Amino acid sequence: MKVSVKVPATTANLGPGFDCLGMALPIYNTVTIEETVLPGTGVEINVIAENDSADEFSLEHIPMDENSIIYKAVELLYNSIGQSPTELKITIHSQIPIARGLGSSASVIVGGLIAANELLGKPADEAALLSIATEVEGHPDNVTPAIIGGLTISSSEDDGSIAYRKIEWPEEWTLTVCIPEYELATDISRSVLPKEVPMQDAVYNAQRMGMFMQAIHTKDSELMKIALKDKLHQPYRMKLVPGLEKIAEKLKHEDNVLGCVLSGAGPSILIISEKNNFDKIKSIVREVWTDLNVKAEIITLPVENNGAQVLTQED
Ligand code: HSE
């Protein structure tokens, strides 16, 4: 039997929502898991890069053995029903650039879990898959929208479960994703964060998370401009993303721009704006990064409202 699952890229944090807000984007990885017939062949993982920007990095850096995150996720699912994965061939067709803050690891974890769950006859429901995916990924903000699509809020509960909801994103607001050519591994980007933060910084983010939810609910652009700020992770990561501070400063003077934030752990930058003036936004980012010799892909995208989808299932 063979199952393929298409999983969207995701952007996490969205300013104030460190480790809790995430949103699906229309760029995809496809994970295929096939039960192989030959006993003793073990688990084989192959990665096929499908675009230039992902190319070298995908092939070099997704570990292709049983220690990879996808294997860990699949193994946890099998273990949850008292089994172990044996003869499996896993193939990842990768379009999501790796180590750019666009949820590439979340997409392979989710794709692997959903495909394996289909192979096993669906023993796990959505919440159980999300809980395993979060255990492997370490935080729920990318895996939740990768599974259910759209804009999501999630929290890790004391019993290991994940509370999560989808939130409707105002159609009037668009996303410009600026993807630099260089990579930044999430563990490096998390290593610069402090273990503790000042109380006033925690309060600052709590205030803005509240504002974020109300701004979305009422489509209030002025409130969104207040909400799209952060003191829990971005200030510490600025030094890892040359140009971010300058780009954000320049974009403050553009009326239609609601905010400029780090996408996940970076180095991609997410700009949220009303639907016009994209060329101006792109030229501001290009100008700053060109001065710093940073090549980048800058794309305007809608939100992907669908989460992971099972594409094919063959016996
Ligand atoms: N919330 C995570 C972070 C997303 O900012 O580190 C990256 O996986």
Side-chain angles (χ1 to χ4, degrees):
M1 194 173 170
K2 177 174 168 179
V3 180
S4 291
V5 180
K6 179 180 162 191
V7 191
T10 46
T11 180
N13 301 329
L14 289 111
F18 179 69
D19 277 1
C20 57
L21 285 174
M23 187 153 58
L25 301 171
I27 309 172
Y28 309 91
N29 280 351
T30 302
V31 176
T32 302
I33 304 191
E34 195 173 349
E35 283 171 323
T36 51
V37 279
L38 291 175
T41 47
V43 176
E44 177 192 333
I45 301 175
N46 297 299
V47 182
I48 300 165
E50 290 196 332
N51 64 0
D52 292 343
S53 56
D55 201 300
E56 275 181 40
F57 194 68
S58 317
L59 294 169
E60 284 176 11
H61 294 259
I62 290 185
M64 294 186 208
D65 58 20
E66 296 183 3
N67 294 321
S68 77
I69 48 170
I70 192 164
Y71 180 79
K72 270 189 203 154
V74 169
E75 188 180 40
L76 281 174
L77 178 65
Y78 272 75
N79 292 170
S80 72
I81 55 163
Q83 295 185 26
S84 297
T86 50
E87 277 71 43
L88 295 178
K89 183 176 174 193
I90 302 176
T91 308
I92 303 162
H93 284 89
S94 154
Q95 288 183 343
I96 304 172
I98 290 168
R100 303 300 207 292
L102 293 172
S104 148
S105 64
S107 81
V108 297
I109 291 168
V110 164
L113 277 177
I114 293 180
N117 197 43
E118 294 285 325
L119 285 180
L120 291 167
K122 294 200 187 181
D125 61 12
E126 184 179 275
L129 291 173
L130 182 51
S131 169
I132 297 175
T134 303
E135 189 179 334
V136 180
E137 173 84 339
H139 33 84
D141 47 347
N142 290 99
V143 289
T144 307
I147 293 177
I148 68 171
L151 169 68
T152 62
I153 177 87
S154 20
S155 62
S156 301
E157 297 301 295
D158 293 339
D159 62 0
S161 68
I162 307 299
Y164 61 104
R165 294 288 185 275
K166 194 166 180 171
I167 304 155
E168 199 176 327
W169 178 257
E171 266 181 34
E172 296 84 343
W173 297 346
T174 297
L175 314 166
T176 300
V177 183
C178 314
I179 312 168
E181 64 175 348
Y182 67 91
E183 302 132 15
L184 174 57
T186 300
D187 52 355
I188 292 174
S189 190
R190 287 183 88 85
S191 73
V192 301
L193 303 181
K195 296 269 175 284
E196 291 174 2
V197 294
M199 174 61 94
Q200 69 263 33
D201 290 354
V203 170
Y204 183 97
N205 270 56
Q207 290 168 334
R208 273 141 198 91
M209 265 304 292
M211 297 296 187
F212 184 100
M213 289 305 176
Q214 178 65 1
I216 295 266
H217 190 57
T218 56
K219 303 179 183 175
D220 183 337
S221 298
E222 288 311 308
L223 194 60
M224 197 64 168
K225 287 183 185 176
I226 294 169
L228 286 170
K229 296 186 186 121
D230 161 77
K231 286 199 175 174
L232 294 185
H233 72 109
Q234 292 186 176
Y236 306 100
R237 289 170 160 170
M238 284 286 180
K239 56 179 182 259
L240 301 175
V241 187
L244 171 58
E245 202 166 1
K246 198 164 182 187
I247 290 167
E249 186 52 42
K250 285 186 173 237
L251 288 171
K252 269 189 202 156
H253 307 293
E254 297 302 311
D255 275 351
N256 65 319
V257 173
L258 308 185
C260 167
V261 296
L262 202 54
S263 178
S268 295
I269 294 175
L270 175 72
I271 298 161
I272 297 166
S273 66
E274 289 165 323
K275 283 188 177 167
N276 52 44
N277 220 9
F278 298 130
D279 289 345
K280 182 75 193 294
I281 292 173
K282 287 179 185 176
S283 76
I284 287 173
V285 179
R286 269 213 197 286
E287 197 183 301
V288 174
W289 270 349
T290 303
D291 281 351
L292 295 167
N293 280 324
V294 174
K295 290 196 190 117
E297 192 180 347
I298 305 176
I299 38 178
T300 297
L301 295 170
V303 176
E304 168 56 271
N305 273 311
N306 293 310
Q309 289 182 311
V310 177
L311 293 182
T312 53
Q313 202 162 359
E314 289 168 25
D315 282 322

